Amino acid sequence: MPSLAAVRPTVSPDRLLADLVPPRHFARARFSTYRADPAHPSQTAVPARLQEVAGEIGAARASGLRALFGRRRAVPAVYMDGGFGVGKTHLLTSLAHAVTAELGDGSVAYGTFVEYTNLVGALGFLPTVEALATRRLVCIDEFELDDPGDTVLMSRLLRELADRGVALAATSNTLPEALGEGRFAAEDFLREIQALSSRFEVLRVDGEDYRHRAVVTDAAPLAADVVERAAAGHPGAVLDAFEDLLAHLATVHPSRYGALLDGVELVALTGVRPVERQEVALRLVVLVDRLYDRDVPVLLAGDAGRHLFSEEMLRGGYRKKYFRALSRLGALAEEGRRLAQA
C-alpha cells in the first residue's frame, strides 16, 4: 500500500512560482457563489467592496497607473480579518478569479503566507520581487507572522511590490496591528508591524464557521481495520501510521508538502493521537492546509478526537492556526467517513 512516508518530493523554484494559483478546493469560487449570512451585514459589504477593487485593478492597468496630471495612482491593498470558516478564502479566490478574467492568465499570484516566504528562500529576495512584480495582484492567504524575520521580510516584500504598482489582498484571523502577538516580542518590531498595517484597508468579515467544526470530528473514531480496508479499495489512496507521518514531515520542508500530495486522492491514518510538541503541531497544520486546498479526504483511526492539539496550544499564540486546522480537518474527515461508509 502506498504511503506518504515513502515519498521524497523535490520542488524546483519554477514550480513554486507555477503553484501560486488559487487552490483546487476554490476553483469554482466566485462572488456570485458566496452565500452571505443576512445576520452578518459585513458578509454582503465585503464582497461588494472586493468587486470594486477588481474594477480598480483593471482600471489601473488601463490607465497605466497614471491619474490626472500624470500623478501615480495608489494601487488597492485590502486585508480581510475574521474568524475561521467565514468565507475569507472564498472571497480572496473570487477576487483572484475576477482579476484573472479581466486581465488574463498570469495576472495574479495566489499563495499562503508560508508559500511566499518559502519562495524568497528558494529564489532570493530580489528575484522574488522581480517575479511577482510582473503580476497585477498578489493574494496572500492566512497571513500570520511567526517570527521577527518574517515580519521584516514581508514588510519589505509588500513595500517593494506596492511601489511597483502591484495590488495586494490578504486574509488572516488577526488584525494587522496585532500580527505576531503572543509569538515573539512584537513590541520590538512594532515599526515593521505598523508599516504592514498602514498599507491595508481592513475589511472585517463577521460570522460563524460555516463548516460548523471546531474539533476534528464529533463522531466515534473509525476502527483501524475499517480505515485500512477503505484505503485499499480507493484509487490514489495512501496509508500511514500517524507516528510515521509525523516523523516524515520533520524531514520534508513545508514548501514541499504540496508536492508530497501529488496524485493522492485519499489519506488514511492509523494510530492518530494527541500531538504534544508545538513544532510537530505546526508542521501538521501546514499539511492539513495543503490537504484542504486539494480537497483530499482523510480517514482517521485512533483516539485523538477533539484533543488533537492540547488545551495549552489552543490558548497560545498559535491558537487560531490550530482552530483553523481542526475546522478543516473535521470537514475532510467527514468526507472520508462518507467514503468509508459507501
Side-chain angles (χ1 to χ4, degrees), residues 17 23 32 65 74 85 87 99 114 139 151 178 218 236 251 270 287-288 297 333:
L17 279 169
S32 61
L65 290 175
V99 172
V114 70
C139 296
T151 305
D218 292 327
T251 70
T270 59
L287 180 65
V288 170

Side-chain angles (χ1 to χ4, degrees), residues 19-100:
D19 283 350
L20 290 178
V21 296
R24 183 172 70 183
H25 183 81
F26 294 96
R28 297 182 179 180
R30 300 294 187 276
F31 292 122
S32 61
T33 62
Y34 181 72
R35 296 293 175 254
D37 184 345
H40 300 282
S42 63
Q43 292 192 16
T44 300
V46 171
R49 173 60 186 135
L50 292 177
Q51 290 179 74
E52 293 176 351
V53 168
E56 291 170 13
I57 295 171
R61 184 197 185 189
S63 65
L65 290 175
R66 297 288 176 179
L68 292 175
F69 309 110
R71 298 186 66 181
R72 192 175 184 85
R73 175 184 297 173
V75 291
V78 293
Y79 184 105
M80 282 180 280
D81 170 64
F84 51 87
V86 297
K88 299 187 303 298
T89 299
H90 183 122
L91 292 173
L92 187 65
T93 51
S94 296
L95 175 62
H97 289 310
V99 172
T100 298

Side-chain angles (χ1 to χ4, degrees), residues 94-292:
S94 296
L95 175 62
H97 289 310
V99 172
T100 298
E102 174 73 17
L103 302 181
D105 291 340
S107 57
V108 178
Y110 184 106
T112 62
F113 181 89
V114 70
E115 286 175 311
Y116 287 109
T117 56
N118 290 339
L119 183 65
V120 173
L123 297 182
F125 184 80
L126 289 178
T128 298
V129 172
E130 295 296 332
L132 295 179
T134 64
R135 314 298 176 96
R136 306 311 310 160
L137 170 67
V138 167
C139 296
I140 310 163
D141 201 13
E142 302 156 15
F143 201 118
E144 294 287 351
L145 298 179
D146 295 339
D147 63 62
D150 285 346
T151 305
V152 176
L153 173 65
M154 290 306 291
S155 179
R156 288 184 59 206
L157 180 63
L158 298 186
R159 181 172 63 249
E160 290 280 350
L161 293 175
D163 288 347
R164 295 181 184 221
V166 179
L168 306 171
T171 71
S172 181
N173 299 318
T174 306
L175 286 168
E177 63 268 20
L179 288 167
E181 188 176 88
R183 296 171 181 83
F184 56 87
E187 62 275 9
D188 293 339
F189 296 87
L190 188 59
R191 183 169 59 183
E192 295 290 351
I193 293 171
Q194 288 174 337
L196 283 173
S197 176
S198 67
R199 292 190 176 275
F200 289 103
E201 171 190 355
V202 178
L203 305 175
R204 174 73 187 183
V205 186
D206 299 301
E208 303 296 326
D209 181 2
Y210 77 94
R211 292 180 291 261
H212 300 295
R213 293 288 167 183
V215 296
V216 174
T217 176
D218 292 327
L222 297 171
D225 61 334
V226 172
V227 167
E228 291 167 358
R229 284 198 304 272
H234 195 284
V238 292
L239 175 65
D240 286 88
F242 191 58
E243 293 289 345
D244 293 343
L245 177 60
L246 294 181
H248 185 56
L249 292 180
T251 70
V252 178
H253 192 276
S255 65
R256 300 179 180 180
Y257 286 7
L260 190 68
L261 299 172
D262 284 352
V264 174
E265 299 298 329
L266 174 72
V267 169
L269 299 175
T270 59
V272 178
R273 49 84 176 166
V275 178
E276 298 173 353
R277 291 162 48 197
Q278 186 128 268
E279 71 275 15
V280 177
L282 290 172
R283 286 193 289 265
L284 183 59
V285 166
V286 176
L287 180 65
V288 170
D289 285 339
R290 300 292 79 77
L291 289 166
Y292 189 76

